[in-house]
């Protein structure tokens, strides 16, 4: 009796880290994410899952935008029909924007691509799975916005205290011990509009 042929699922792993901090280490956050995803794919070998060898890693890229080189390369492979399953460590590694996530899910649906998060159980083919994803992404977007507010508040408070928070030093000033000091002579004296 012939055995039915099992479908093979071509699996791609996507990893992302927001900052450059520790990317130069021999084993960094991208490697840790990839290792966990590889183990998950290996656990699904009996279902026909196979890891494709291409790495899709975006180091030092924010999840606030889809404008990331490895992600764009991955999406091009999705459009070309070369990927069946995208595996990430956490949903927020793919995106922290609910609107961007909706666009990605629509693209995945059009090309019959499944999406899996290793640390968060859900299935994008069911309405309950989509609800779970939307809730998770709402929290990821909220977290990103709260972090942005905190940074803006700290910069504002520093400025009110006269602390220089960085950027280009204005003409006629020098930065000394994180404070702007008027330059008595030099640029300001020689500047004539």
């Amino acid at each position: 009796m012939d055995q039915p042929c099992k479908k093979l699922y071509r699996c791609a792993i996507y990893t992302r880290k927001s900052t450059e901090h520790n990317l130069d280490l021999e084993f960094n956050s991208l490697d840790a994410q990839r290792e966990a995803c590889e183990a998950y794919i290996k656990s699904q070998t009996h279902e026909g899952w196979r890891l494709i060898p291409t790495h899709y890693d975006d180091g030092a890229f924010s999840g606030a935008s889809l404008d990331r080189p490895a992600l764009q390369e991955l999406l091009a492979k999705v459009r070309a029909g070369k990927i069946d399953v995208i595996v990430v460590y956490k949903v927020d590694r793919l995106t922290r924007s609910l609107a961007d996530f909706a666009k990605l899910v629509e693209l995945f649906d059009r090309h019959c691509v499944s999406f899996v998060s290793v640390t968060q159980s859900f299935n994008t083919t069911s309405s309950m799975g989509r609800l779970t994803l939307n809730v998770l992404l709402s929290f990821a977007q909220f977290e990103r916005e709260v972090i942005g507010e905190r940074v803006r508040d700290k910069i504002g408070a520093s400025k009110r205290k006269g602390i220089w928070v960085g950027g280009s030093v204005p003409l006629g000033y020098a930065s000394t011990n994180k404070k702007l000091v008027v330059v008595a002579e030099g640029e300001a004296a020689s500047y004539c509009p």
Side-chain angles (χ1 to χ4, degrees):
M1 193 180 257
D2 289 337
Q3 291 278 355
C5 293
K6 261 192 181 177
K7 179 175 180 189
L8 291 181
Y9 295 94
R10 299 160 296 177
C11 302
I13 295 172
Y14 177 76
T15 64
R16 182 185 65 78
K17 183 176 183 332
S18 297
T19 65
E20 290 180 13
H21 182 67
N22 289 336
L23 275 180
D24 56 343
L25 294 177
E26 186 176 329
F27 186 80
N28 60 45
S29 173
L30 299 176
D31 299 318
Q33 291 174 50
R34 183 166 189 81
E35 193 174 84
C37 292
E38 285 175 352
Y40 188 85
I41 291 169
K42 190 172 184 177
S43 76
Q44 300 301 310
T45 303
H46 65 284
E47 295 291 338
W49 289 31
R50 299 295 181 268
L51 175 63
I52 62 171
T54 309
H55 284 227
Y56 300 98
D57 304 322
D58 278 321
F61 283 93
S62 167
S65 161
L66 296 180
D67 190 20
R68 294 172 254 150
L71 179 62
Q72 290 305 314
E73 184 183 345
L74 175 67
L75 297 178
K77 295 286 185 180
V78 166
R79 289 181 189 101
K82 299 190 184 269
I83 293 173
D84 302 305
V85 180
I86 295 173
V87 182
V88 296
Y89 181 70
K90 279 188 165 190
V91 177
D92 69 358
R93 297 302 84 200
L94 187 64
T95 182
R96 283 183 173 262
S97 164
L98 203 49
D100 287 343
F101 183 72
K103 290 178 201 168
L104 290 172
V105 168
E106 186 179 318
L107 175 71
F108 298 162
D109 285 349
R110 258 195 327 266
H111 296 281
C112 301
V113 172
S114 297
F115 173 69
V116 174
S117 166
V118 171
T119 59
Q120 300 151 323
S121 261
F122 56 79
N123 181 348
T124 59
T125 60
S126 72
S127 58
M128 190 62 176
R130 285 178 194 255
L131 172 66
T132 303
L133 272 177
N134 284 325
V135 169
L136 288 171
L137 276 164
S138 293
F139 278 105
Q141 183 170 329
F142 169 73
E143 180 184 28
R144 178 174 54 89
E145 290 170 2
V146 166
I147 289 168
E149 288 171 3
R150 273 191 241 135
V151 169
R152 282 188 298 278
D153 290 347
K154 182 182 183 299
I155 289 171
S158 297
K159 285 180 177 180
R160 284 189 295 280
K161 291 185 180 287
I163 299 171
W164 179 244
V165 291
S168 300
V169 177
L171 189 63
Y173 290 87
S175 175
T176 307
N177 296 326
K178 294 193 176 191
K179 298 245 183 205
L180 286 180
V181 180
V182 176
V183 177
E185 294 181 26
E187 293 174 346
S190 65
Y191 177 72
C192 296

